[in-house]
Amino acid sequence: MSTPADRRSIIVGIDGSPTAVGAARWAGAIASRQHAAVVLLSVFPAPDYQLTSYSRAEADLLLPELRAVAKQKVEQACAAVRAEQPELEIRQVVEDGKPARELIAHSGDARMVVVAAKSRDRLSTLLLGSTALTVAKKAACPVTVWRGRLDQPRPDTRPVLVGVDGSPGGSAAVGEAFELASALGVEVTALHAWNDPDLLQWTPVPDTWSALAQQEEQLLSERLAGWCEKYPDVTVTKVVEKATPARALLEHAEKAQLVVTGSRGQNRLTGLLLGSTSQNLLHHAASPVVICRGQ
């Protein structure tokens, strides 16, 4: 494997698809604003002669051809990014192996990993593909699953939406959202959704919604306080709703250019590696989704 990129690099998985090129163009615009480099990584599967009909000699002869095809994909993506970001530092990396494994390996030294969603069909529960989902679950840095307009993949003036829940992953998401919004010169919409049955089981609900809502608004303000001080240039709109986090985030995502969330929020579905909210966003949000893991 090649030497890892520095920690300010954004790694983009390149597979030759138009969506991957769109993801690379988006990543290039982000990297330009964050004074980062972009690493375009294409991984081709080396044939295993022990598991296929190829002999070892045939497999060895096929490797240069596979590498050449992967290199061509990276060069095409690089040209698309370079046309829009001529001053950007871009590195082209071609490796053999498994895409998810190599992207995860690079993530330990990266600012962010960007992978493209495979389909626009939001009704399909398998639309992400195994690579995007695996990287989102296991990468050591924030992961953006990119889904956007191929005719206009670059950032715009809409706000960055972040889910705030107080978990370690949620706190990392808040920091990431502020950093991205500051770099892009846009606002942050900080959404805190609450609907916990345990909180309400002993409560006369009709008479206390207002008091509970005030408590949740105070919690949201407390969780944002340090970040508002660190990024005074970022305007914040606070939203508190009595709803499930996934539903609330999906509704507000329609007016945001990207959504940032923790890898696991405060829900009881601990068997899900990403949590139900993150899973819902990855499969159904129409905009890029950034997944952040807590330390």
Side-chain angles (χ1 to χ4, degrees):
M1 193 172 80
S2 62
T3 303
D6 64 75
R7 188 163 290 279
R8 295 306 300 171
S9 296
I10 297 178
I11 315 293
V12 187
I14 301 298
D15 60 9
S17 68
T19 310
V21 175
R25 292 171 63 193
W26 179 87
I30 296 293
S32 177
R33 289 163 173 79
Q34 293 189 324
H35 307 291
V38 164
V39 176
L40 303 178
L41 174 62
S42 181
V43 181
F44 63 93
D48 189 332
Y49 74 95
Q50 294 178 324
L51 300 178
T52 69
S53 59
Y54 292 104
S55 68
R56 181 160 192 167
E58 289 172 327
D60 289 342
L61 288 174
L62 188 58
L63 282 176
E65 182 178 346
L66 294 173
R67 180 177 292 275
V69 171
K71 186 174 185 295
Q72 183 180 37
K73 293 175 182 178
V74 168
E75 289 174 346
Q76 290 172 345
C78 182
V81 177
R82 181 72 70 201
E84 297 171 350
Q85 311 295 337
E87 303 300 322
L88 183 67
E89 179 184 354
I90 306 174
R91 305 172 197 165
Q92 302 179 46
V93 179
V94 176
E95 298 178 347
D96 66 278
K98 295 182 178 180
R101 184 185 66 193
E102 301 307 322
L103 286 166
I104 292 167
H106 279 280
S107 71
D109 296 294
R111 160 76 183 84
M112 177 188 290
V113 172
V114 181
V115 290
K118 286 293 187 182
S119 172
R120 296 285 298 178
D121 179 11
R122 283 181 262 167
L123 297 178
S124 171
T125 58
L126 298 177
L127 63 88
L128 290 178
S130 59
T131 297
L133 197 55
T134 300
V135 174
K137 290 177 180 179
K138 298 182 178 181
C141 66
V143 175
T144 298
V145 176
W146 190 86
R147 182 185 295 109
R149 290 177 50 187
L150 295 180
D151 61 334
Q152 183 54 265
R154 290 172 292 176
D156 53 45
T157 59
R158 290 176 296 168
V160 172
L161 173 65
V162 60
V164 184
D165 63 10
S167 68
S171 296
V174 173
E176 182 70 17
F178 271 84
E179 183 172 346
L180 287 168
S182 179
L184 297 174
V186 299
E187 298 183 4
V188 163
T189 299
L191 172 64
H192 174 55
W194 61 284
N195 190 24
D196 192 336
D198 290 344
L199 182 66
L200 303 173
Q201 61 181 339
W202 304 111
T203 304
V205 174
D207 298 329
T208 57
W209 281 130
S210 178
L212 290 172
Q214 290 179 3
Q215 292 178 20
E216 299 299 325
E217 289 171 2
Q218 179 63 31
L219 287 172
L220 176 58
S221 295
E222 292 173 355
R223 290 162 184 166
L224 294 176
W227 296 109
C228 291
E229 295 172 2
K230 184 175 181 180
Y231 294 93
D233 59 314
V234 176
T235 300
V236 182
T237 298
K238 302 174 185 177
V239 180
V240 177
E241 292 188 357
K242 185 180 74 67
T244 61
R247 188 184 72 183
L249 284 167
L250 284 171
E251 289 178 356
H252 285 272
E254 298 294 332
K255 298 179 180 180
Q257 64 173 300
L258 61 95
V259 186
V260 188
T261 184
S263 59
R264 192 201 303 272
Q266 291 181 335
N267 67 71
R268 295 167 183 77
L269 300 178
T270 55
L272 295 178
L273 290 175
L274 288 177
S276 60
T277 299
S278 298
Q279 293 274 11
N280 263 294
L281 288 170
L282 288 178
H283 288 297
H284 300 297
S287 56
V289 176
V290 185
I291 303 293
C292 300
R293 299 173 65 87
Q295 300 298 320

